[in-house]
Amino acid sequence: MRRGITLLSAGLLAGSLLVPTASAAPRCGPDVRVPGAVHQESACLADLTTTGTLASGHTVQADWAGLTASDLPAPAAVPGRQIDGYFPDTSTTNANHGWNHDAQFVLRLPARWNGGLVVTGSPGNRRQYANDRAIADHVLAAGYAFAATDKGNTGAEFFTDGDRPGDAVAEWNHRVTELTTAAKVAAWRHYGRPVSRTIAAGMSNGGYLVRWQLENRPWLYDGGVDWEGTLWTQRDNLLTFLPTALRAHPAGDERAVLAAGFAPGSQFLWDYHHRVYWDLTQRIYREEFDPGFDGDRQAGIPFCRSGTPDCDADYDYASRPAEVHRAVERIALTGRIGKPLITLHGTLDSLLPISRSSDVYAGMVAAAGRGGLHRYHRIEAGNHTDGLVDEFPGLRPLAPHFRDAFDEMHAWLRG
């Protein structure tokens, strides 16, 4: 909401204008207004899945590139209505559709509806179509309506949004709540009957949002599916283990990387994650919660070696000032979920190692006395993103397991 700055690769910036389809779906139902939206565009589509929306211009492939394996099966066509729009916001990091406006959303309403709604927030710092291939295709084919938000800020400089440390991440939670309430009303107006079950779903940062919603807004949902959600607590968060990896891996100190929580057997993934994920992730999230660490710089010094002044490889979260810990506490998780949750996480996750994230969260849920509401699936040889399955054949894709977990949640809620 403050100092909106767009800085992404050309691929992530590539948006697409909504293009009318050549032939409308036979049964789309009435157009409806999404409560609270200040702009929206509606289309009746022959296919709401990525097979159809790629052809019609109603998705942006760059949003979901690299998140799924190339051989993930695609469902049959799902006709229905798609509504794209945005809620009031003052930041401008999302360039989709040429709108240059954040708080963008997409709502898909299948013609054959089972009464359910799935709400998602984007993983990483991606935009509203990021879950289209990994999540939307499957849930739409099952008859669910689908809604997704860009979380209110996007891109590698998401931390410029807001007025104080932690504001950008706090906005993510608000935007999911906002979209959930609006999508429920819009679906009721569209179908003429209320939503019978609402499921929160998401991966990575989107999985964090599922956890937060079920802890803090459980009355809005019937359940959730958390795909390797990011963990934020005072003891376990990415700022507590990524600096060790950034120090130790270039120095060849394998023992230190393993001691930081990275799984034995994941070593073949470390070079890639050091180049692509560890450095950038540490710097931009440290900037979000602790901008004073590197003075006037924004997000530090890329790939600096330990010993360099203000280097994130030497960052020590535990010793940082109280205001840094308060910023994290604002968005921290507790494990006190109020509705059923299924968590899945790959054992070879080399961005958010399982021993420092979902293993810990499962323990938090049990310690909070909510173990009966939680099912936890550890996926052997799974990594953080399925895009690497094509490059490293020994990895197991998580998307099929997410689809199984979603079907499990559907059955759980039906008793």
Side-chain angles (χ1 to χ4, degrees):
M1 293 181 182
R2 67 172 160 91
R3 295 180 288 130
I5 297 176
T6 301
L7 179 61
L8 283 171
S9 68
L12 287 180
L13 277 176
S16 72
L17 296 175
L18 293 178
V19 179
T21 53
S23 58
R27 291 190 303 116
C28 281
D31 193 8
V32 293
R33 295 296 304 175
V34 176
V38 294
H39 179 80
Q40 71 173 63
E41 298 180 11
S42 180
C44 183
L45 303 180
D47 186 8
L48 294 171
T49 76
T50 51
T51 301
T53 54
L54 273 174
S56 68
H58 288 82
T59 188
V60 178
Q61 188 170 9
D63 284 11
W64 41 272
L67 294 180
T68 58
S70 59
D71 62 354
L72 181 65
V78 178
R81 182 170 294 282
Q82 176 164 320
I83 301 173
D84 292 274
Y86 53 80
F87 296 106
D89 202 354
T90 56
S91 57
T92 59
T93 61
N94 189 340
N96 274 345
H97 312 301
W99 290 341
N100 296 316
H101 197 291
D102 290 343
Q104 291 193 38
F105 67 85
V106 58
L107 174 61
R108 297 190 175 104
L109 303 163
R112 299 189 64 175
W113 186 48
N114 68 3
L117 169 67
V118 174
V119 182
T120 71
S122 60
N125 306 110
R126 298 184 183 226
R127 302 175 299 190
Q128 71 267 31
Y129 302 109
N131 290 315
D132 280 9
R133 187 78 181 91
I135 296 178
D137 278 1
H138 181 69
V139 304
L140 287 165
Y144 281 83
F146 171 83
T149 171
D150 68 3
K151 309 195 302 285
N153 44 74
T154 67
E157 292 193 349
F158 79 99
F159 54 80
T160 61
D161 193 13
D163 296 319
R164 55 181 178 147
D167 274 359
V169 174
E171 184 180 355
W172 298 355
N173 296 315
H174 163 69
R175 294 301 179 183
V176 174
T177 300
E178 174 183 56
L179 179 61
T180 301
T181 55
K184 284 189 173 191
V185 174
W188 191 345
R189 292 172 176 172
H190 178 77
Y191 293 110
R193 57 190 173 100
V195 172
S196 59
R197 75 188 68 87
T198 304
I199 298 175
M203 69 169 76
S204 192
N205 281 337
Y208 157 76
L209 296 170
V210 173
R211 297 172 177 180
W212 192 94
Q213 293 291 316
L214 294 191
E215 288 183 7
N216 295 276
R217 305 288 186 270
W219 55 87
L220 291 176
Y221 305 92
D222 297 280
V225 183
D226 153 33
W227 180 342
E228 66 202 8
T230 309
L231 181 61
W232 288 102
T233 72
Q234 293 297 342
R235 189 177 72 87
D236 290 285
N237 64 66
L238 57 87
L239 302 178
T240 65
F241 56 78
L242 286 183
T244 301
L246 291 173
R247 285 194 307 274
H249 179 63
D253 190 350
E254 181 177 306
R255 288 188 177 183
V257 179
L258 293 172
F262 292 85
S266 67
Q267 287 91 331
F268 69 100
L269 295 166
W270 292 357
D271 281 339
Y272 178 91
H273 282 76
H274 180 261
R275 287 184 286 109
V276 177
Y277 286 117
W278 291 348
D279 180 74
L280 179 64
T281 302
Q282 163 64 27
R283 289 187 294 104
I284 63 178
Y285 285 91
R286 192 270 305 148
E287 187 73 19
E288 164 68 355
F289 294 103
D290 190 359
F293 172 75
D294 57 352
D296 293 334
R297 292 190 184 94
Q298 282 202 341
I301 307 167
F303 297 102
C304 56
R305 289 300 183 107
S306 177
T308 304
D310 302 329
C311 180
D312 273 276
D314 295 321
Y315 186 75
D316 180 17
Y317 174 77
S319 68
R320 297 302 295 157
E323 58 264 26
V324 177
H325 294 262
R326 286 196 295 268
V328 171
E329 191 63 33
R330 291 174 58 205
I331 56 87
L333 296 169
T334 65
R336 294 191 291 271
I337 55 174
K339 290 293 173 64
L341 173 66
I342 297 176
T343 294
L344 64 152
H345 203 121
T347 60
L348 296 185
D349 191 324
S350 293
L351 176 59
L352 303 177
I354 192 169
S355 68
R356 298 297 302 273
S357 47
S358 291
D359 284 356
V360 176
Y361 190 68
M364 291 168 58
V365 173
R370 312 298 170 89
L373 293 174
H374 193 215
R375 298 179 184 178
Y376 180 28
H377 303 318
R378 303 173 93 254
I379 311 303
E380 292 297 324
N383 184 41
H384 195 69
T385 59
D386 282 0
L388 291 184
V389 170
D390 298 325
E391 185 174 347
F392 299 98
L395 293 175
R396 178 181 295 179
L398 270 71
H401 295 278
F402 169 82
R403 292 179 172 188
D404 290 344
F406 184 85
D407 294 345
E408 180 184 351
M409 176 57 67
H410 175 86
W412 188 0
L413 296 180
R414 295 188 64 180

